[in-house]
Amino acid sequence: MVANEARLWSSLGTMNGSVKKAVIPAAGLGTRFLPATKTVPKEMLPIVDKPIILYNIEECIRAGIEDVILVAGRGKSAIEDFFDTSYEVEDVLLKAGKTELLERVQSVKDKINIISIRQKEAKGLGHAVYIAQPVIGDEPFAVLLGDEIMIETEECKSAIGDLVDLTQKNGKSTVAVMPVEKADVSKYGIIECTEKSENLWEVSAVVEKPSLESAPSQLALPGRYVFGPEILSALRDTKPGKNGEIQLTDAMTQVAKSEGLLATVLKSRRFDAGDKFGYLQANIEMGLENAEVKEKLQHYLKQLASTL
Ligand code: UTP
């Protein structure tokens, strides 16, 4: 084992082999959802009856994460409020005997700590992760993009939990990738890589939203990462890159070249809820799994399809 690997491994070891902190950057401007996001953070938009952010928090809980560092920005206080006690609502539900709904409203509060940090200016995803450093300290940690939803499957209980397991097993920072169509490479961070073993790639560089001609592969980053603390030193030295933002992908290239970086395709279902089409897809698919509306929705979709 090389020295750098041993260092990450030992930092994992000091935590009894687990990752307990996750950063959820949610301070972006959400321009793709304007005008809705003028006053409502996109992370609070509902998928059926749950805000997007709650899917991510539940994914963290299933992975055994204890502290979530929520990076919020201006106009995002509704996200912070969501994780507070709502005495008025809870009292009304209690008095009305709506215990099931009350449990749903209270569900996450006691299972995870939410620590909120403000990104005063949207200087990029890399900057959003970097400002969580005082809370992260010198530990490995997870990052979940606040507008990406990963739904559990039989093979994958928690997307971020699977990455945590792989990071511990291999002693290297590990990120999720997904194959994308050629037409879509310019929307994502794309990895340059060599295959190490089945469904495990050794990353040599990450390119932010490349043109098709310059894309090193068709493996894109969908927004789930587990890093050792060295990503924070890389971010400290990262200058503004594409679009003048501090890019997480630039710091990932540094880590790939020094400590090493692995990538894997996760077995969860994914929705890009920060994009209009992905958001609608998530609502339809999750609606078809919701006991209250699924039959009506099925019927409606069949009827609608016959008219298209
Ligand atoms: P996006 O670029 O997808 O999100 O950033 P955005 O800026 O909110 O949305 P659009 O493109 O204008 O519609 C990916 C993630 O990084 C966070 C965003 O909140 C999102 O979860 N982010 C981005 C920050 O927290 N801070 C930033 O400065 C930039």
Side-chain angles (χ1 to χ4, degrees), residues 24-34 37 42-43 56 71-73 76 79 119 121-129 131 144-148 187 208-209 225 243 245-246 272 274-275:
I24 302 189
L29 300 176
T31 52
R32 282 170 294 169
F33 264 103
L34 282 169
T37 45
K42 70 175 162 183
E43 296 78 10
N56 294 333
V71 183
K76 299 267 184 164
I79 311 179
Q119 188 188 22
E121 259 179 88
K123 289 187 185 171
L125 176 57
H127 180 254
V129 172
I131 61 168
L144 297 86
L145 293 196
D147 54 0
E148 291 278 345
K187 296 182 190 158
E208 181 66 22
K209 302 190 172 106
Y225 321 76
N243 302 330
E245 295 186 346
I246 298 182
D272 178 2
D275 164 82

mmCIF file of all heavy atoms in Angstrom, residues 24-34 37 42-43 56 71-73 76 79 119 121-129 131 144-148 187 208-209 225 243 245-246 272 274-275, ligand 1:
data_model
loop_
_atom_site.group_PDB
_atom_site.id
_atom_site.type_symbol
_atom_site.label_atom_id
_atom_site.label_comp_id
_atom_site.label_asym_id
_atom_site.label_seq_id
_atom_site.Cartn_x
_atom_site.Cartn_y
_atom_site.Cartn_z
ATOM 1 N N ILE A 24 -24.253 18.255 1.950
ATOM 2 C CA ILE A 24 -25.234 18.402 0.875
ATOM 3 C C ILE A 24 -25.205 19.855 0.399
ATOM 4 O O ILE A 24 -25.723 20.747 1.065
ATOM 5 C CB ILE A 24 -26.667 18.012 1.325
ATOM 6 C CG1 ILE A 24 -26.687 16.559 1.826
ATOM 7 C CG2 ILE A 24 -27.657 18.205 0.179
ATOM 8 C CD1 ILE A 24 -28.065 15.987 2.104
ATOM 9 N N PRO A 25 -24.535 20.111 -0.731
ATOM 10 C CA PRO A 25 -24.517 21.479 -1.249
ATOM 11 C C PRO A 25 -25.890 21.803 -1.853
ATOM 12 O O PRO A 25 -26.380 21.071 -2.704
ATOM 13 C CB PRO A 25 -23.442 21.440 -2.351
ATOM 14 C CG PRO A 25 -22.758 20.115 -2.207
ATOM 15 C CD PRO A 25 -23.745 19.197 -1.563
ATOM 16 N N ALA A 26 -26.488 22.858 -1.363
ATOM 17 C CA ALA A 26 -27.826 23.232 -1.836
ATOM 18 C C ALA A 26 -27.921 24.748 -1.956
ATOM 19 O O ALA A 26 -28.949 25.346 -1.655
ATOM 20 C CB ALA A 26 -28.885 22.694 -0.871
ATOM 21 N N ALA A 27 -26.807 25.366 -2.367
ATOM 22 C CA ALA A 27 -26.791 26.832 -2.416
ATOM 23 C C ALA A 27 -26.789 27.359 -3.846
ATOM 24 O O ALA A 27 -26.622 28.556 -4.063
ATOM 25 C CB ALA A 27 -25.565 27.356 -1.664
ATOM 26 N N GLY A 28 -26.980 26.468 -4.813
ATOM 27 C CA GLY A 28 -27.020 26.908 -6.214
ATOM 28 C C GLY A 28 -28.254 27.758 -6.471
ATOM 29 O O GLY A 28 -29.185 27.794 -5.655
ATOM 30 N N LEU A 29 -28.272 28.443 -7.602
ATOM 31 C CA LEU A 29 -29.351 29.398 -7.861
ATOM 32 C C LEU A 29 -30.609 28.748 -8.432
ATOM 33 O O LEU A 29 -31.684 29.338 -8.408
ATOM 34 C CB LEU A 29 -28.842 30.499 -8.804
ATOM 35 C CG LEU A 29 -27.657 31.304 -8.249
ATOM 36 C CD1 LEU A 29 -27.155 32.295 -9.288
ATOM 37 C CD2 LEU A 29 -28.016 32.024 -6.952
ATOM 38 N N GLY A 30 -30.470 27.530 -8.944
ATOM 39 C CA GLY A 30 -31.644 26.819 -9.472
ATOM 40 C C GLY A 30 -32.300 27.524 -10.638
ATOM 41 O O GLY A 30 -33.530 27.555 -10.756
ATOM 42 N N THR A 31 -31.487 28.087 -11.536
ATOM 43 C CA THR A 31 -32.053 28.897 -12.634
ATOM 44 C C THR A 31 -32.928 28.074 -13.582
ATOM 45 O O THR A 31 -33.839 28.624 -14.197
ATOM 46 C CB THR A 31 -30.934 29.576 -13.465
ATOM 47 O OG1 THR A 31 -29.997 28.580 -13.852
ATOM 48 C CG2 THR A 31 -30.237 30.651 -12.682
ATOM 49 N N ARG A 32 -32.661 26.742 -13.671
ATOM 50 C CA ARG A 32 -33.478 25.926 -14.587
ATOM 51 C C ARG A 32 -34.928 25.819 -14.122
ATOM 52 O O ARG A 32 -35.782 25.392 -14.863
ATOM 53 C CB ARG A 32 -32.863 24.520 -14.733
ATOM 54 C CG ARG A 32 -31.658 24.496 -15.655
ATOM 55 C CD ARG A 32 -30.940 23.183 -15.581
ATOM 56 N NE ARG A 32 -30.333 22.969 -14.275
ATOM 57 C CZ ARG A 32 -29.822 21.810 -13.877
ATOM 58 N NH1 ARG A 32 -29.872 20.778 -14.680
ATOM 59 N NH2 ARG A 32 -29.271 21.696 -12.684
ATOM 60 N N PHE A 33 -35.173 26.187 -12.868
ATOM 61 C CA PHE A 33 -36.535 26.080 -12.345
ATOM 62 C C PHE A 33 -37.192 27.429 -12.075
ATOM 63 O O PHE A 33 -38.173 27.505 -11.343
ATOM 64 C CB PHE A 33 -36.564 25.220 -11.079
ATOM 65 C CG PHE A 33 -36.935 23.800 -11.357
ATOM 66 C CD1 PHE A 33 -35.977 22.810 -11.385
ATOM 67 C CD2 PHE A 33 -38.249 23.468 -11.634
ATOM 68 C CE1 PHE A 33 -36.313 21.505 -11.676
ATOM 69 C CE2 PHE A 33 -38.606 22.171 -11.924
ATOM 70 C CZ PHE A 33 -37.632 21.174 -11.944
ATOM 71 N N LEU A 34 -36.597 28.483 -12.621
ATOM 72 C CA LEU A 34 -37.250 29.788 -12.479
ATOM 73 C C LEU A 34 -38.528 29.798 -13.318
ATOM 74 O O LEU A 34 -38.568 29.135 -14.355
ATOM 75 C CB LEU A 34 -36.292 30.888 -12.963
ATOM 76 C CG LEU A 34 -35.201 31.273 -11.973
ATOM 77 C CD1 LEU A 34 -34.156 32.159 -12.643
ATOM 78 C CD2 LEU A 34 -35.779 31.970 -10.740
ATOM 79 N N THR A 37 -38.231 28.859 -8.524
ATOM 80 C CA THR A 37 -37.143 28.946 -7.544
ATOM 81 C C THR A 37 -36.770 30.377 -7.167
ATOM 82 O O THR A 37 -35.775 30.593 -6.482
ATOM 83 C CB THR A 37 -35.907 28.203 -8.088
ATOM 84 O OG1 THR A 37 -35.729 28.589 -9.455
ATOM 85 C CG2 THR A 37 -36.080 26.710 -8.007
ATOM 86 N N LYS A 42 -35.097 24.896 -4.876
ATOM 87 C CA LYS A 42 -35.496 23.724 -5.677
ATOM 88 C C LYS A 42 -35.450 22.450 -4.840
ATOM 89 O O LYS A 42 -36.204 21.512 -5.081
ATOM 90 C CB LYS A 42 -34.663 23.594 -6.944
ATOM 91 C CG LYS A 42 -33.233 23.192 -6.739
ATOM 92 C CD LYS A 42 -32.538 22.972 -8.073
ATOM 93 C CE LYS A 42 -31.033 23.016 -7.849
ATOM 94 N NZ LYS A 42 -30.262 22.892 -9.050
ATOM 95 N N GLU A 43 -34.597 22.420 -3.819
ATOM 96 C CA GLU A 43 -34.506 21.232 -2.956
ATOM 97 C C GLU A 43 -35.781 21.012 -2.150
ATOM 98 O O GLU A 43 -35.982 19.952 -1.568
ATOM 99 C CB GLU A 43 -33.316 21.362 -1.988
ATOM 100 C CG GLU A 43 -31.954 21.410 -2.640
ATOM 101 C CD GLU A 43 -31.601 22.763 -3.255
ATOM 102 O OE1 GLU A 43 -32.333 23.752 -3.032
ATOM 103 O OE2 GLU A 43 -30.598 22.826 -3.986
ATOM 104 N N ASN A 56 -32.697 12.727 0.004
ATOM 105 C CA ASN A 56 -31.246 12.664 0.228
ATOM 106 C C ASN A 56 -30.901 12.405 1.687
ATOM 107 O O ASN A 56 -29.977 11.665 2.005
ATOM 108 C CB ASN A 56 -30.584 13.960 -0.242
ATOM 109 C CG ASN A 56 -30.693 14.123 -1.741
ATOM 110 O OD1 ASN A 56 -30.786 13.136 -2.460
ATOM 111 N ND2 ASN A 56 -30.720 15.339 -2.206
ATOM 112 N N VAL A 71 -25.222 22.930 2.988
ATOM 113 C CA VAL A 71 -24.681 24.215 2.542
ATOM 114 C C VAL A 71 -25.801 24.963 1.839
ATOM 115 O O VAL A 71 -26.218 24.601 0.744
ATOM 116 C CB VAL A 71 -23.462 24.032 1.605
ATOM 117 C CG1 VAL A 71 -22.880 25.390 1.221
ATOM 118 C CG2 VAL A 71 -22.403 23.152 2.271
ATOM 119 N N ALA A 72 -26.327 25.956 2.528
ATOM 120 C CA ALA A 72 -27.475 26.698 1.992
ATOM 121 C C ALA A 72 -27.026 28.105 1.620
ATOM 122 O O ALA A 72 -25.975 28.579 2.049
ATOM 123 C CB ALA A 72 -28.585 26.744 3.021
ATOM 124 N N GLY A 73 -27.837 28.748 0.820
ATOM 125 C CA GLY A 73 -27.501 30.123 0.417
ATOM 126 C C GLY A 73 -28.656 31.051 0.718
ATOM 127 O O GLY A 73 -29.609 30.679 1.408
ATOM 128 N N LYS A 76 -32.701 30.313 1.084
ATOM 129 C CA LYS A 76 -32.851 28.865 1.255
ATOM 130 C C LYS A 76 -33.262 28.493 2.676
ATOM 131 O O LYS A 76 -33.125 27.346 3.084
ATOM 132 C CB LYS A 76 -31.524 28.157 0.909
ATOM 133 C CG LYS A 76 -31.064 28.377 -0.526
ATOM 134 C CD LYS A 76 -31.551 27.286 -1.459
ATOM 135 C CE LYS A 76 -30.986 27.481 -2.862
ATOM 136 N NZ LYS A 76 -31.094 26.326 -3.706
ATOM 137 N N ILE A 79 -35.296 25.385 3.728
ATOM 138 C CA ILE A 79 -34.700 24.045 3.901
ATOM 139 C C ILE A 79 -34.338 23.861 5.381
ATOM 140 O O ILE A 79 -34.611 22.825 5.979
ATOM 141 C CB ILE A 79 -33.426 23.847 3.040
ATOM 142 C CG1 ILE A 79 -33.648 24.268 1.600
ATOM 143 C CG2 ILE A 79 -32.951 22.402 3.114
ATOM 144 C CD1 ILE A 79 -32.410 24.108 0.709
ATOM 145 N N GLN A 119 -23.340 29.529 2.236
ATOM 146 C CA GLN A 119 -22.402 29.941 1.192
ATOM 147 C C GLN A 119 -22.876 31.325 0.765
ATOM 148 O O GLN A 119 -23.962 31.469 0.195
ATOM 149 C CB GLN A 119 -22.452 28.955 0.013
ATOM 150 C CG GLN A 119 -21.372 29.222 -1.005
ATOM 151 C CD GLN A 119 -21.528 28.375 -2.267
ATOM 152 O OE1 GLN A 119 -22.612 27.888 -2.577
ATOM 153 N NE2 GLN A 119 -20.449 28.211 -2.995
ATOM 154 N N GLU A 121 -21.927 33.459 -1.411
ATOM 155 C CA GLU A 121 -22.032 33.716 -2.852
ATOM 156 C C GLU A 121 -21.937 32.373 -3.547
ATOM 157 O O GLU A 121 -21.142 31.531 -3.106
ATOM 158 C CB GLU A 121 -20.807 34.515 -3.306
ATOM 159 C CG GLU A 121 -21.010 35.988 -3.486
ATOM 160 C CD GLU A 121 -19.691 36.622 -3.905
ATOM 161 O OE1 GLU A 121 -19.411 36.671 -5.106
ATOM 162 O OE2 GLU A 121 -18.930 37.017 -3.002
ATOM 163 N N ALA A 122 -22.703 32.186 -4.619
ATOM 164 C CA ALA A 122 -22.652 30.903 -5.338
ATOM 165 C C ALA A 122 -21.374 30.865 -6.185
ATOM 166 O O ALA A 122 -21.381 31.168 -7.377
ATOM 167 C CB ALA A 122 -23.894 30.744 -6.198
ATOM 168 N N LYS A 123 -20.253 30.502 -5.522
ATOM 169 C CA LYS A 123 -18.960 30.524 -6.224
ATOM 170 C C LYS A 123 -18.612 29.182 -6.825
ATOM 171 O O LYS A 123 -17.471 28.948 -7.213
ATOM 172 C CB LYS A 123 -17.853 30.924 -5.238
ATOM 173 C CG LYS A 123 -17.879 32.369 -4.807
ATOM 174 C CD LYS A 123 -16.642 32.645 -3.982
ATOM 175 C CE LYS A 123 -16.641 34.044 -3.413
ATOM 176 N NZ LYS A 123 -15.552 34.212 -2.450
ATOM 177 N N GLY A 124 -19.561 28.267 -6.811
ATOM 178 C CA GLY A 124 -19.310 26.968 -7.431
ATOM 179 C C GLY A 124 -19.423 25.823 -6.444
ATOM 180 O O GLY A 124 -19.318 26.013 -5.223
ATOM 181 N N LEU A 125 -19.632 24.619 -7.011
ATOM 182 C CA LEU A 125 -19.805 23.426 -6.172
ATOM 183 C C LEU A 125 -18.565 23.153 -5.312
ATOM 184 O O LEU A 125 -18.673 22.792 -4.138
ATOM 185 C CB LEU A 125 -20.115 22.229 -7.090
ATOM 186 C CG LEU A 125 -20.234 20.867 -6.453
ATOM 187 C CD1 LEU A 125 -21.303 20.842 -5.372
ATOM 188 C CD2 LEU A 125 -20.548 19.805 -7.516
ATOM 189 N N GLY A 126 -17.382 23.342 -5.901
ATOM 190 C CA GLY A 126 -16.135 23.099 -5.153
ATOM 191 C C GLY A 126 -16.065 24.006 -3.930
ATOM 192 O O GLY A 126 -15.714 23.577 -2.826
ATOM 193 N N HIS A 127 -16.435 25.255 -4.112
ATOM 194 C CA HIS A 127 -16.425 26.222 -3.006
ATOM 195 C C HIS A 127 -17.438 25.812 -1.938
ATOM 196 O O HIS A 127 -17.157 25.872 -0.732
ATOM 197 C CB HIS A 127 -16.728 27.623 -3.560
ATOM 198 C CG HIS A 127 -16.739 28.694 -2.514
ATOM 199 N ND1 HIS A 127 -17.907 29.265 -2.071
ATOM 200 C CD2 HIS A 127 -15.746 29.270 -1.811
ATOM 201 C CE1 HIS A 127 -17.625 30.169 -1.144
ATOM 202 N NE2 HIS A 127 -16.312 30.193 -0.966
ATOM 203 N N ALA A 128 -18.621 25.341 -2.384
ATOM 204 C CA ALA A 128 -19.663 24.917 -1.428
ATOM 205 C C ALA A 128 -19.146 23.767 -0.554
ATOM 206 O O ALA A 128 -19.394 23.738 0.655
ATOM 207 C CB ALA A 128 -20.928 24.503 -2.178
ATOM 208 N N VAL A 129 -18.424 22.840 -1.149
ATOM 209 C CA VAL A 129 -17.882 21.715 -0.366
ATOM 210 C C VAL A 129 -16.771 22.218 0.560
ATOM 211 O O VAL A 129 -16.706 21.853 1.741
ATOM 212 C CB VAL A 129 -17.347 20.590 -1.305
ATOM 213 C CG1 VAL A 129 -16.619 19.512 -0.510
ATOM 214 C CG2 VAL A 129 -18.498 19.979 -2.113
ATOM 215 N N ILE A 131 -16.288 25.088 2.033
ATOM 216 C CA ILE A 131 -16.652 25.854 3.229
ATOM 217 C C ILE A 131 -17.202 24.959 4.349
ATOM 218 O O ILE A 131 -17.373 25.409 5.476
ATOM 219 C CB ILE A 131 -17.621 27.030 2.934
ATOM 220 C CG1 ILE A 131 -18.936 26.516 2.357
ATOM 221 C CG2 ILE A 131 -16.975 28.067 2.038
ATOM 222 C CD1 ILE A 131 -20.002 27.596 2.336
ATOM 223 N N LEU A 144 -23.412 14.631 -1.332
ATOM 224 C CA LEU A 144 -24.603 14.288 -2.120
ATOM 225 C C LEU A 144 -25.141 15.578 -2.733
ATOM 226 O O LEU A 144 -25.403 16.536 -1.994
ATOM 227 C CB LEU A 144 -25.727 13.710 -1.245
ATOM 228 C CG LEU A 144 -25.507 12.398 -0.513
ATOM 229 C CD1 LEU A 144 -24.824 12.658 0.830
ATOM 230 C CD2 LEU A 144 -26.830 11.706 -0.269
ATOM 231 N N LEU A 145 -25.275 15.638 -4.041
ATOM 232 C CA LEU A 145 -25.846 16.846 -4.629
ATOM 233 C C LEU A 145 -27.312 16.949 -4.254
ATOM 234 O O LEU A 145 -28.072 15.975 -4.390
ATOM 235 C CB LEU A 145 -25.683 16.863 -6.147
ATOM 236 C CG LEU A 145 -24.253 16.984 -6.654
ATOM 237 C CD1 LEU A 145 -24.244 17.390 -8.117
ATOM 238 C CD2 LEU A 145 -23.413 17.960 -5.840
ATOM 239 N N GLY A 146 -27.687 18.148 -3.787
ATOM 240 C CA GLY A 146 -29.019 18.342 -3.218
ATOM 241 C C GLY A 146 -30.164 18.163 -4.201
ATOM 242 O O GLY A 146 -31.314 18.024 -3.798
ATOM 243 N N ASP A 147 -29.881 18.162 -5.514
ATOM 244 C CA ASP A 147 -30.992 18.051 -6.467
ATOM 245 C C ASP A 147 -30.993 16.718 -7.221
ATOM 246 O O ASP A 147 -31.725 16.565 -8.195
ATOM 247 C CB ASP A 147 -30.971 19.234 -7.452
ATOM 248 C CG ASP A 147 -29.630 19.392 -8.148
ATOM 249 O OD1 ASP A 147 -28.717 18.594 -7.883
ATOM 250 O OD2 ASP A 147 -29.504 20.325 -8.968
ATOM 251 N N GLU A 148 -30.163 15.781 -6.791
ATOM 252 C CA GLU A 148 -30.121 14.451 -7.418
ATOM 253 C C GLU A 148 -30.757 13.458 -6.458
ATOM 254 O O GLU A 148 -30.375 13.398 -5.279
ATOM 255 C CB GLU A 148 -28.665 14.016 -7.635
ATOM 256 C CG GLU A 148 -27.938 14.813 -8.680
ATOM 257 C CD GLU A 148 -28.229 14.330 -10.096
ATOM 258 O OE1 GLU A 148 -28.760 13.212 -10.258
ATOM 259 O OE2 GLU A 148 -27.929 15.079 -11.032
ATOM 260 N N LYS A 187 -23.081 17.971 -20.463
ATOM 261 C CA LYS A 187 -23.884 18.443 -19.318
ATOM 262 C C LYS A 187 -23.260 18.049 -17.984
ATOM 263 O O LYS A 187 -23.764 18.424 -16.929
ATOM 264 C CB LYS A 187 -25.280 17.803 -19.372
ATOM 265 C CG LYS A 187 -26.099 18.205 -20.561
ATOM 266 C CD LYS A 187 -27.456 17.533 -20.444
ATOM 267 C CE LYS A 187 -28.255 17.677 -21.717
ATOM 268 N NZ LYS A 187 -29.288 16.651 -21.821
ATOM 269 N N GLU A 208 -14.732 18.980 -16.603
ATOM 270 C CA GLU A 208 -16.048 19.588 -16.358
ATOM 271 C C GLU A 208 -16.735 19.905 -17.676
ATOM 272 O O GLU A 208 -16.199 20.644 -18.503
ATOM 273 C CB GLU A 208 -15.863 20.863 -15.502
ATOM 274 C CG GLU A 208 -17.132 21.589 -15.137
ATOM 275 C CD GLU A 208 -18.043 20.788 -14.194
ATOM 276 O OE1 GLU A 208 -17.562 19.891 -13.492
ATOM 277 O OE2 GLU A 208 -19.258 21.080 -14.185
ATOM 278 N N LYS A 209 -17.897 19.339 -17.881
ATOM 279 C CA LYS A 209 -18.743 19.616 -19.047
ATOM 280 C C LYS A 209 -17.954 19.767 -20.353
ATOM 281 O O LYS A 209 -17.923 20.852 -20.969
ATOM 282 C CB LYS A 209 -19.593 20.866 -18.781
ATOM 283 C CG LYS A 209 -20.466 20.714 -17.533
ATOM 284 C CD LYS A 209 -21.486 21.821 -17.393
ATOM 285 C CE LYS A 209 -22.455 21.543 -16.276
ATOM 286 N NZ LYS A 209 -22.335 22.266 -15.066
ATOM 287 N N TYR A 225 -20.419 11.193 -3.956
ATOM 288 C CA TYR A 225 -18.978 11.101 -3.803
ATOM 289 C C TYR A 225 -18.641 10.733 -2.353
ATOM 290 O O TYR A 225 -19.329 11.167 -1.440
ATOM 291 C CB TYR A 225 -18.299 12.455 -4.052
ATOM 292 C CG TYR A 225 -18.875 13.298 -5.180
ATOM 293 C CD1 TYR A 225 -20.083 14.005 -5.028
ATOM 294 C CD2 TYR A 225 -18.193 13.426 -6.385
ATOM 295 C CE1 TYR A 225 -20.587 14.811 -6.058
ATOM 296 C CE2 TYR A 225 -18.690 14.233 -7.415
ATOM 297 C CZ TYR A 225 -19.889 14.916 -7.248
ATOM 298 O OH TYR A 225 -20.388 15.716 -8.249
ATOM 299 N N ASN A 243 -16.667 28.524 -16.232
ATOM 300 C CA ASN A 243 -17.692 29.505 -15.845
ATOM 301 C C ASN A 243 -17.267 30.376 -14.659
ATOM 302 O O ASN A 243 -18.115 30.918 -13.947
ATOM 303 C CB ASN A 243 -19.020 28.822 -15.491
ATOM 304 C CG ASN A 243 -19.549 27.999 -16.631
ATOM 305 O OD1 ASN A 243 -19.306 28.327 -17.787
ATOM 306 N ND2 ASN A 243 -20.248 26.913 -16.310
ATOM 307 N N GLU A 245 -16.230 29.436 -11.858
ATOM 308 C CA GLU A 245 -16.596 28.819 -10.570
ATOM 309 C C GLU A 245 -15.473 27.919 -10.056
ATOM 310 O O GLU A 245 -14.686 27.388 -10.859
ATOM 311 C CB GLU A 245 -17.863 27.964 -10.747
ATOM 312 C CG GLU A 245 -19.080 28.797 -11.108
ATOM 313 C CD GLU A 245 -20.359 27.970 -11.130
ATOM 314 O OE1 GLU A 245 -20.281 26.723 -11.119
ATOM 315 O OE2 GLU A 245 -21.432 28.579 -11.162
ATOM 316 N N ILE A 246 -15.417 27.742 -8.763
ATOM 317 C CA ILE A 246 -14.461 26.780 -8.192
ATOM 318 C C ILE A 246 -15.075 25.400 -8.382
ATOM 319 O O ILE A 246 -16.117 25.079 -7.802
ATOM 320 C CB ILE A 246 -14.148 27.105 -6.727
ATOM 321 C CG1 ILE A 246 -13.495 28.496 -6.706
ATOM 322 C CG2 ILE A 246 -13.250 26.032 -6.105
ATOM 323 C CD1 ILE A 246 -13.052 29.003 -5.391
ATOM 324 N N ASP A 272 -32.603 13.158 -11.976
ATOM 325 C CA ASP A 272 -32.020 14.496 -11.884
ATOM 326 C C ASP A 272 -33.169 15.460 -11.639
ATOM 327 O O ASP A 272 -33.751 16.014 -12.571
ATOM 328 C CB ASP A 272 -31.281 14.836 -13.188
ATOM 329 C CG ASP A 272 -30.707 16.251 -13.148
ATOM 330 O OD1 ASP A 272 -30.856 16.928 -12.108
ATOM 331 O OD2 ASP A 272 -30.120 16.673 -14.150
ATOM 332 N N GLY A 274 -33.163 18.333 -10.509
ATOM 333 C CA GLY A 274 -32.840 19.743 -10.729
ATOM 334 C C GLY A 274 -33.111 20.158 -12.170
ATOM 335 O O GLY A 274 -32.868 21.296 -12.559
ATOM 336 N N ASP A 275 -33.597 19.179 -12.954
ATOM 337 C CA ASP A 275 -33.870 19.413 -14.366
ATOM 338 C C ASP A 275 -35.373 19.176 -14.588
ATOM 339 O O ASP A 275 -35.940 18.264 -13.967
ATOM 340 C CB ASP A 275 -33.013 18.387 -15.139
ATOM 341 C CG ASP A 275 -33.431 18.214 -16.562
ATOM 342 O OD1 ASP A 275 -33.015 19.046 -17.364
ATOM 343 O OD2 ASP A 275 -34.164 17.252 -16.872
HETATM 344 P P1 UTP B 1 -26.133 23.032 -10.392
HETATM 345 O O1 UTP B 1 -25.355 23.891 -11.299
HETATM 346 O O2 UTP B 1 -26.812 21.834 -10.929
HETATM 347 O O3 UTP B 1 -27.252 23.775 -9.595
HETATM 348 O O4 UTP B 1 -25.194 22.656 -9.170
HETATM 349 P P2 UTP B 1 -27.860 25.184 -9.642
HETATM 350 O O5 UTP B 1 -26.881 26.237 -9.902
HETATM 351 O O6 UTP B 1 -28.638 25.290 -8.373
HETATM 352 O O7 UTP B 1 -28.964 25.003 -10.782
HETATM 353 P P3 UTP B 1 -29.177 25.641 -12.204
HETATM 354 O O8 UTP B 1 -28.211 24.951 -13.116
HETATM 355 O O9 UTP B 1 -28.970 27.126 -12.069
HETATM 356 O O10 UTP B 1 -30.618 25.297 -12.500
HETATM 357 C C1 UTP B 1 -25.097 21.348 -8.621
HETATM 358 C C2 UTP B 1 -25.291 21.354 -7.120
HETATM 359 O O11 UTP B 1 -24.324 22.180 -6.488
HETATM 360 C C3 UTP B 1 -24.952 23.124 -5.651
HETATM 361 C C4 UTP B 1 -26.369 23.258 -6.186
HETATM 362 O O12 UTP B 1 -27.253 23.654 -5.147
HETATM 363 C C5 UTP B 1 -26.658 21.846 -6.695
HETATM 364 O O13 UTP B 1 -27.096 20.993 -5.651
HETATM 365 N N1 UTP B 1 -24.178 24.401 -5.717
HETATM 366 C C6 UTP B 1 -23.775 24.886 -6.920
HETATM 367 C C7 UTP B 1 -23.889 25.068 -4.550
HETATM 368 O O14 UTP B 1 -24.259 24.638 -3.427
HETATM 369 N N2 UTP B 1 -23.178 26.228 -4.621
HETATM 370 C C8 UTP B 1 -22.749 26.737 -5.816
HETATM 371 O O15 UTP B 1 -22.095 27.799 -5.808
HETATM 372 C C9 UTP B 1 -23.068 26.044 -6.982
#
